Amino acid sequence: MINTNFHNILGPYSIETLSNMINAKMYNIDNQRLISGAADVENAKKGDITFIVFNNTLGKLNKSNASACIIRKYDTNIVPNSMVCLEVKDPHAAYAIIAQKFYPKDKFIPKVSNNADVPDKYKLSNKIRIDPYVVIEENAIIDDYVWIGSGSYIGKGVKIGYGTRIHSNVSLECAEIGKNVLLYSGVRVGQSGFGFAPTAQGHVVIPQVGKVVIGNNVEIGANTCIDRGSYGPTIIGEGTFIDNLVHIAHNVKIGKYCAIAGQVGIAGSTTIEDYCMFGGQVGIGGHITIGKGTQAGGQAGITKDLKEGSKVSGTPAISLSKYHRQSILLQKLIKNKGK
């Protein structure tokens, strides 16, 4: 059950409307059937639509209360006759599109709080939303339909692009933010990087005088920190999604449409090319290049360059096939030694 105290809910919609949205082929057709929500297969109730991605979980449909499902390939032996089936190439993406229709984002309502400290040119704007206790420095540039949540700080010279949503208690310094970016609560962008010269008398700080450039349609999870470059920029490419509690050091360059899970740490001046994916707690050393489309399993430790399309795991990271062989051999070694 979705709690309406927390989330917006729209609908119901006809199954035909939903099918047309995702260009699906429909089985067990019932064009008059109304769907009132979307949920995973275990939690779906009557009136909901669900989805199955993996073949080994198709059996769950027989036990599901859902009224409709989205799958890759219709099978009369798997999908109950009472359940409308929508067949698509990518069930996960199709489900995401439909779920957005039922559970939309909060509506943008322009308003500038009297309790916010903002430049005069923004106080009477009817195209932005500034919540209470926001501080915006004089020469920051805020584009139309930007929403800045309570307690956030926007430093001097910061640029924020059209339609960007900034949640509460975010700080932005030395940064240029693209269009339709989403920054969750507690994000820190553009703070000084970890730059110093160690000496016998102590550490000598190296001024960090670069910036952060974040492309369009990027999402950054709660309490993630992205340091500004020491001289040039730290760059986050278009469409990249970053989870909570990630640290990205100075002068890192991340390409387009990467996905970075929680607690990943990326050391300075590393280049990560387009479409890379990193599991939770992956550690990436500095001054290396990660090739396009690389995938790293959780807790992998990457210490050297990886070529395009690499799949790695372990510490230090090795190819996934070699990692699995090592695991099998280690298990055999331990088992034999126990005898």
Side-chain angles (χ1 to χ4, degrees):
M1 178 69 70
I2 305 299
N3 191 322
T4 57
N5 292 328
F6 303 136
H7 307 291
N8 301 318
I9 301 177
L10 298 180
Y13 302 102
S14 71
I15 191 67
E16 185 177 22
T17 296
L18 301 181
S19 178
N20 291 337
M21 284 177 59
I22 58 176
N23 194 28
K25 187 174 182 180
M26 187 157 49
Y27 295 89
N28 300 337
I29 298 173
D30 180 359
N31 288 332
Q32 302 306 311
R33 182 169 298 188
L34 293 178
I35 302 298
S36 55
D40 61 88
V41 68
E42 285 89 357
N43 291 299
K45 62 184 186 303
K46 185 177 180 181
D48 286 346
I49 188 168
T50 191
F51 72 107
I52 294 289
V53 174
F54 303 109
N55 289 335
N56 60 359
T57 57
L58 282 169
K60 293 182 178 181
L61 288 175
N62 282 319
K63 299 178 181 179
S64 177
N65 294 316
S67 296
C69 66
I70 306 169
I71 63 174
R72 187 170 285 110
K73 187 68 176 177
Y74 175 69
D75 187 334
T76 56
N77 296 317
I78 294 173
V79 181
N81 291 332
S82 60
M83 188 180 291
V84 178
C85 177
L86 305 183
E87 182 184 277
V88 297
K89 289 183 179 180
D90 188 343
H92 204 183
Y95 173 81
I97 291 168
I98 285 176
Q100 287 180 15
K101 191 168 182 67
F102 284 109
Y103 313 122
K105 296 177 182 178
D106 292 337
K107 185 177 180 181
F108 178 88
I109 301 174
K111 181 181 180 181
V112 178
S113 172
N114 292 329
N115 291 321
D117 183 0
V118 302
D120 291 340
K121 64 181 178 179
Y122 295 123
K123 287 182 178 178
L124 300 178
S125 174
N126 63 356
K127 291 186 176 180
I128 61 175
R129 176 164 173 171
I130 309 296
D131 290 340
Y133 310 114
V134 168
V135 175
I136 302 176
E137 300 290 357
E138 279 294 334
N139 58 349
I141 299 174
I142 313 297
D143 207 343
D144 293 345
Y145 300 101
V146 168
W147 182 348
I148 303 177
S150 298
S152 291
Y153 171 76
I154 312 301
K156 66 179 183 179
V158 168
K159 298 178 181 179
I160 303 176
Y162 181 99
T164 286
R165 172 76 193 273
I166 297 170
H167 284 255
S168 60
N169 299 311
V170 171
S171 66
L172 304 179
E173 305 172 67
C174 306
E176 297 175 3
I177 312 297
K179 299 176 182 178
N180 300 312
V181 172
L182 179 57
L183 305 181
Y184 286 95
S185 298
V187 165
R188 306 291 182 228
V189 174
Q191 61 282 337
S192 180
F194 196 52
F196 60 91
T199 72
Q201 291 75 38
H203 303 311
V204 182
V205 173
I206 299 172
Q208 306 288 290
V209 294
K211 63 182 178 180
V212 176
V213 178
I214 295 178
N216 299 334
N217 303 307
V218 169
E219 292 198 12
I220 300 176
N223 295 322
T224 282
C225 296
I226 303 175
D227 296 343
R228 65 178 180 259
S230 55
Y231 294 98
T234 301
I235 298 174
I236 311 297
E238 176 183 359
T240 284
F241 278 27
I242 300 171
D243 197 2
N244 304 335
L245 297 167
V246 171
H247 177 237
I248 298 170
H250 56 203
N251 297 104
V252 168
K253 293 177 173 57
I254 298 176
K256 298 185 296 184
Y257 305 112
C258 295
I260 300 174
Q263 298 185 12
V264 167
I266 306 173
S269 298
T270 281
T271 296
I272 295 169
E273 296 180 350
D274 302 341
Y275 303 105
C276 290
M277 300 179 71
F278 304 115
Q281 296 186 335
V282 167
I284 302 173
H287 299 271
I288 61 176
T289 297
I290 310 298
K292 180 178 178 180
T294 289
Q295 298 179 13
Q299 296 189 329
I302 303 173
T303 58
K304 59 183 179 181
D305 293 351
L306 294 176
K307 65 181 181 180
E308 180 176 332
S310 295
K311 294 184 179 181
V312 300
S313 195
T315 301
I318 56 176
S319 70
L320 195 58
S321 59
K322 185 182 290 186
Y323 177 77
H324 288 320
R325 289 199 300 271
Q326 283 187 356
S327 297
I328 292 169
L329 289 171
L330 181 60
Q331 288 177 1
K332 289 180 178 179
L333 181 65
I334 293 171
K335 184 178 181 180
N336 292 335
K337 191 173 181 179
K339 292 179 178 179

